Every structure is written in structure tokens, then in C-alpha cells.
Amino acid sequence: MVKENLKQVELKVAEACERAGRSRDQVKLIAVSKTKPVEMMEECIQEGMCRFGENKVQEIVNKQEILTQDLEWHMIGHLQRNKVKQLVGRVSLIHSVDSLRLAKQIQKDFAQKDQVAQILLEVNVAKEETKFGFMPEEVEGALREIATYPNLQVQGLMTIAPFVENPEENRIHFQNLRKLLIDINNKNIDNITMCELSMGMTGDYQVAIEEVATYVRVGTGIVGERNYNI
Ligand SMILES: *Cc1c(COP(=O)(O)O)cnc(C)c1O
């Protein structure tokens, strides 16, 4: 199942790149493996996947005990400040920095181990009440503060777009996230040059790629529906 799914997703990624006039290597596909067993991740690895997205620190710790291959781990879920310490040295990129308090904690815990955290700021680009993340108008101020944190390196912006039937409805949000990134880069804030846009999930990753996503996070489309009751 995973093999066929990955093939399909890879094909769709390539088609979206083609439509957008982008080269395939400008888009990094993340297999979102949260709640899924390591056996399923092994299947992905066999097909050449080496980039996984998780949303719980404990699950990353547990899975890394078993999967000792050279893999890229991405933290994509809401991160509690008391869990940051356990994350040091375990992930390539934290996509979900959604408050200054969290950023400050990451600075503190990574500094303690003399490491630099690669991060994205999560933006609530559609201003949904139920979502975590900075409001678009808060992002510049947050970045000016974070720019002074020596152990944080901001690579770009991330968003979780609304759940919609028709992915075209999210195109405007992806466009707005990209505009925000360009606007802020144009302000030439010291230590801030962002080039990554993490946007697009199973329902809308092709539209996100057309709107210049550099990371797409695909769970269901690769590993199937999640069952939170088990
Ligand atoms: C679960 C999750 C995904 C993957 O969602 P699918 O719709 O299954 O592709 C992507 N991003 C984040 C932040 C998630 O929590």
C-alpha cells in the first residue's frame, strides 16, 4: 500500500512542479508518520523516503530508538515548552514555533547543549480561532526579537491551511504566506533571511507547490488514514 501511495504522491508532486515551472528538487516531501508504526516507516524508507514528520516529542524519542538509520526528522506539531529539552539534537527542523515564549525556551534549551535550532515560524494565515500560530501581522515583530537569539536560525514560515473540500480555496492562503515571507525578507532584518515555505498537506499539496511551497507535509496520502482510538 505504502509503495503504491508514495508512487502516486511522487507523481503528483512532479506534475505540480511541472505546471509551476519549478524543478522537482525545489520541493522536499515529508512523510507525516505520526501515530503510524515504525514498520510502516520502514516501508517508506525502502522506497527511498528519508524525511519524516511527527507531532509528539515522545513518539520521536521512541521511534528513534528503533530507526537508527540516517533520517531527517521534522517536528510539525504544537510543542509544549517543557518538552523542548528532549528534542535537542533529534530534529532537523522545528516547523511549529508558534509563540515567542516557545522560541525563548528553544533558545535556552539549545544553548545549554551548545546547539543551534533550525526553525520555522507557524503562521495562522487564515486567522482561524482554533489554530495555533502567529497572526500574520505579528510575524515581523516576532522575527525582530528572535533575530537576537543566537541559538535559533529561522529558515522560513509554515502554515496549516483550513480544512476545505476544494483545495483551490486554500490557494489564497498559500499566496499570502509567500507574500509575507517576501515582504519580510525585503526589510533586511539582521540575521533573518528566510527561504523555506512549509505548506500543503494531503488535501492541498499540489496547490501549495504551485504557490511555491518548499516543504509539503503529506500523511494520509502516503501512510493512510490515522486511527486515534488505538
Ligand atoms: C497531521 C499533519 C499533517 C499531515 O496531514 P494529512 O492531511 O494526513 O496529510 C501535516 N501537517 C501537520 C502540521 C500535521 O499535524
Side-chain angles (χ1 to χ4, degrees), residues 17-36:
C17 286
E18 175 86 33
R19 279 197 298 277
R22 306 179 64 199
S23 92
R24 173 64 190 85
D25 61 13
Q26 292 174 321
V27 180
K28 296 170 286 269
L29 174 62
I30 298 173
V32 176
S33 46
K34 63 189 185 199
T35 80
K36 295 295 180 179

Side-chain angles (χ1 to χ4, degrees), residues 12-221:
K12 287 181 180 164
V13 168
E15 284 170 359
C17 286
E18 175 86 33
R19 279 197 298 277
R22 306 179 64 199
S23 92
R24 173 64 190 85
D25 61 13
Q26 292 174 321
V27 180
K28 296 170 286 269
L29 174 62
I30 298 173
V32 176
S33 46
K34 63 189 185 199
T35 80
K36 295 295 180 179
V38 288
E39 290 76 16
M40 204 174 262
M41 295 170 71
E42 300 265 21
E43 282 182 66
C44 291
I45 294 165
Q46 254 170 27
E47 299 309 312
M49 173 55 66
C50 60
R51 218 176 271 121
F52 293 95
E54 293 284 344
N55 67 344
K56 291 211 164 69
V57 176
Q58 192 57 50
E59 196 168 339
I60 295 176
V61 172
N62 293 345
K63 286 176 168 175
Q64 285 184 346
E65 262 177 44
I66 302 164
L67 299 172
T68 53
Q69 300 93 322
D70 190 16
L71 302 170
E72 253 181 56
W73 297 82
H74 292 256
M75 177 61 189
I76 63 173
H78 178 61
L79 179 55
Q80 288 170 305
R81 282 174 296 141
N82 62 1
K83 300 283 168 62
V84 173
K85 206 171 276 182
Q86 289 178 75
L87 207 59
V88 182
R90 293 189 178 272
V91 292
S92 311
L93 186 61
I94 304 172
H95 292 233
S96 44
V97 177
D98 54 13
S99 72
L100 266 182
R101 273 170 25 137
L102 175 61
K104 207 167 277 184
Q105 188 71 47
I106 298 172
Q107 162 59 32
K108 187 170 163 230
D109 290 341
F110 276 67
Q112 204 129 60
K113 299 241 173 85
D114 207 16
Q115 295 219 15
V116 174
Q118 305 297 325
I119 67 165
L120 306 178
L121 291 202
E122 180 170 351
V123 184
N124 186 354
V125 79
K127 302 194 169 187
E128 291 176 282
E129 268 177 27
T130 53
K131 289 250 166 85
F132 290 107
F134 293 93
M135 288 296 162
E137 62 273 17
E138 296 171 335
V139 173
E140 184 187 341
L143 282 169
R144 288 188 186 276
E145 168 78 19
I146 291 171
T148 68
Y149 298 177
N151 297 71
L152 291 195
Q153 187 163 1
V154 184
Q155 298 227 353
L157 303 177
M158 175 272 217
T159 199
I160 303 172
F163 184 78
V164 289
E165 286 291 321
N166 177 1
E168 283 298 330
E169 291 175 47
N170 279 338
R171 189 179 293 277
I172 185 74
H173 300 307
F174 298 143
Q175 287 172 346
N176 285 338
L177 193 71
R178 175 157 186 256
K179 273 189 207 149
L180 184 62
L181 182 135
I182 292 171
D183 283 351
I184 291 174
N185 278 342
N186 284 339
K187 301 199 173 188
N188 293 315
I189 304 172
D190 272 352
N191 298 321
I192 301 287
T193 315
M194 302 188 290
C195 25
E196 305 292 350
L197 279 172
S198 172
M199 55 191 197
M201 307 173 25
T202 295
D204 54 19
Y205 66 89
Q206 290 173 280
V207 173
I209 290 169
E210 289 167 17
E211 299 303 334
V212 206
T214 62
Y215 282 106
V216 288
R217 312 176 305 265
V218 180
T220 314

